[in-house]
Amino acid sequence: MANWLTPVHRELNRKLRDTLGAPTAGQFAKLGIDTVGDLVRHTPRRYISGTGMSDFASLRVGEEVAVVARVANTQVRAGGQLRVETTLTDGTGFLRATFFTTKKYLADHWQGLLTPGSRGIFVGKVGEFRSQPQLAHPDFVMIDTSGRITARKLDTARRHMERAVQRSTMVGLYPASAKLPTWTIAESISLLLPGVMELGDTLPDWVVEEAGVLPFPDALREVHEPVDREHARSGIERLRFDEAFALQLAMATRRAQREQELATPRERRPGGILDAFDARLPFELTAGQQQVGEQVFRELARPTPMHRLLQGDVGSGKTIVALRAMLCVVDAGGQAALLAPTEVLAQQHHATITRMLGDLGRAGQLDAAEEATSVALLTGGMPAGARRAVLDGVASGEVGLVVGTHALLSDPVAFTDLGLVVVDEQHRFGVEQRAALAAKAERQPHTLVMTATPIPRSVAMTVFGDLAVSELRERPAGRGSVTTVLVDTVTHPTWVERAWQRIREEAAAGRQAFVVAPAIQGRQVDGDLTSSDGATAVTELAPELRAGPLSGLRVGMLHGRLGSQERDSVMAAFVDGQLDVLVATTVIEVGVDVPNASVMVVMDADRFGISQLHQLRGRIGRGEHPGLCLLLSAAEPDSDAALRMQALVDSDDGFELAETDLQIRGEGDVLGAGQSGASSLKLLRAFTDRELIRTAKELAERVVRDPRAADDPLLADLRTQAELVAADEWLEKG
Ligand code: ADP
Ligand code: MG
């Protein structure tokens, strides 16, 4: 267990079972609250003020409500147990509230609080009794005319409560459960709060000051003993800041540690293969490609390893940037490896690179250029002889560039001098895998990770916070553009026919088409869609199209349940032009380059996310032909799904779309359960808190370099905390 240096962090990490007892702690555990720190950082979902009055007319049976109301009368009835019945009024209507108990003193206590004419806030679920709405066993507090709380239904923690009661003029409603109603949570918090507040801040004063946030004890008071919304908000902001800061401090620490790692500097050498390559480029590099290129060259020349993420839409020209980096390393006497997530993509990269290099990639052959190197492909499916030859070439240093799949990681590939690893499509590779490859080199190789799924900066800073980020935002000139059309299959059923006709026209002109559907088989799903009821299935659609609207065309089928060899051969057939149409699930999403494909029809487009659709759409319009993307859907015009699809019609900028996505999704699941760093983010929202995340990052960067941080016990505890969270997540991913 962690060795806490400071009392405040020790207290915050104390298990609830040691303070509230096992049964209550068990209930809290179900809300994801395990420690004292979790509990005091559990913030109200909303605050209500006791000065207004609720309108009973809006109450719905089955709803959880909080009403501000006046007591009309209260009676205690004896029976099997005592029943306290109160009639509440909002001035016009009436609402019955009922409490049961076997304890006479409790019944008396409640009756004493619920005197006619007094006002209170009642929280509970609206039920029905003799077809009248009623609250059974609501939680309540009584309030005076100025909205100040004067008493609570439960007074188990009376001493602590009184302090809170004196201050609060509003009521915070906590995310609660049936067993743990909001005021039991409030009671537990007010029980623990004084002890925590006494221990002072979790951060050094100078950090709090620089961050411009409330001191921790003050923030807790504003959040849990609210006097007004404005103060409560700044309290919550401090707690959010803590979350962002802890994470960014951990990331900044990791980056600082990495500066201690050694890499061989790879200085750019004039007159070598890179210059020869640049001289032959048939086009001008975009400003972005230039700029990122320079940034990369600077980092390659340093004696510490580069760890950089390169983001850019499909077709933004990342491959050139990566290739120039690899050539720079070759010029400096090293080797470079490019890792792709699948064999098909590895083959494609190899073909592209070989083509782009021309005689610069044919070292050892008669027609090689003077500066030439040799490019090799290494995949799992290679014949043993060819494989051996490649391995020998890599080991002898003859091969300068190796393109491959995971095989590069799992097999004992010995490089002479691996200087750079480029990883294409980060999402398929974990951090551990990058580490595995790095371990093969005596010194750390430089790393460049490329991803075509643009992530908003705020998310990148959290999920990939240990990487520096570059973006390619502009599109190289001369690429066909893609028009996206939303086809409402309910209001325009005939347009579906028109879609198939468009595919026939394109095929007649020698071009190819994708048809994408969400499901593999009826009632089963590919990927992470949760419901497939009625979703179009590839295995049903393909034969239908072959027999009907696309008869006579060569229609292939691709989905995740095919074996990897079959998948590869279908894909290869499509790339080769032996198929006109590919009916597929989202398995075509990643990196496939078929410049001849000009149309994409997406079935049930409402079932896909924005970035997924954008990725899919990136498969067309890659050559000189303009592309057409038809999104077929029966979604309601005002639904979130319709908003998502409209976003695609309106924009072709992956970064802009990623931001829109973040907004529409309401942020809760932005980081997705599978993304590392996600589960520790409770209050933080990547979109609304993006400024905060940025500030936290900048501050963390300064803090790790500040001499005052060197042996600050609070910061040391914060790091330990971040490590525990990371370990936790690691275990969860298991
Ligand atoms: P990405 O890897 O980001 O999807 P690529 O590097 O594969 O993009 O580039 C897409 C296409 O655009 C390729 O055919 C490439 O040759 C071409 N290209 C790249 N950079 C430029 C440029 N600056 N000007 C014109 N065409 C470019
Ligand atoms: Mg590419």
Side-chain angles (χ1 to χ4, degrees), residues 420-465:
L420 170 67
V421 177
V422 176
V423 182
D424 188 15
E425 304 298 352
Q426 157 72 14
H427 292 110
R428 311 287 161 120
F429 285 97
V431 176
E432 310 81 38
Q433 286 164 313
R434 270 190 276 144
L437 193 76
K440 293 190 185 305
E442 270 178 34
R443 295 180 165 209
Q444 298 282 308
H446 300 280
T447 349
L448 180 66
V449 179
M450 300 193 286
T451 167
T453 312
I455 311 165
R457 285 224 152 208
S458 54
V459 179
M461 276 189 282
T462 17
V463 181
F464 298 120

Side-chain angles (χ1 to χ4, degrees), residues 319 349 424 622:
T319 309
H349 273 305
D424 188 15
R622 289 178 73 81

Side-chain angles (χ1 to χ4, degrees), residues 281-287 289 310-322 349 352 355-356 424-425 450-452 472 475-479 591 593 595 618-619 622-623:
L281 265 182
F283 45 70
E284 291 276 305
L285 294 173
T286 64
Q289 284 171 321
L310 174 56
Q311 297 196 64
D313 262 334
V314 165
S316 58
K318 297 182 293 297
T319 309
I320 308 270
V321 172
H349 273 305
T352 310
R355 179 168 42 76
M356 289 200 295
D424 188 15
E425 304 298 352
M450 300 193 286
T451 167
L472 286 181
R475 214 62 72 88
R479 304 231 351 190
D593 194 4
R619 302 297 123 222
R622 289 178 73 81

Side-chain angles (χ1 to χ4, degrees), residues 575-607:
V575 172
D576 274 5
Q578 292 161 30
L579 293 171
D580 301 306
V581 181
L582 190 60
V583 181
T585 56
T586 53
V587 290
I588 58 157
E589 207 176 324
V590 179
V592 172
D593 194 4
V594 186
N596 193 45
S598 56
V599 185
M600 174 174 286
V601 174
V602 183
M603 313 296 293
D604 302 319
D606 48 285
R607 294 184 184 242

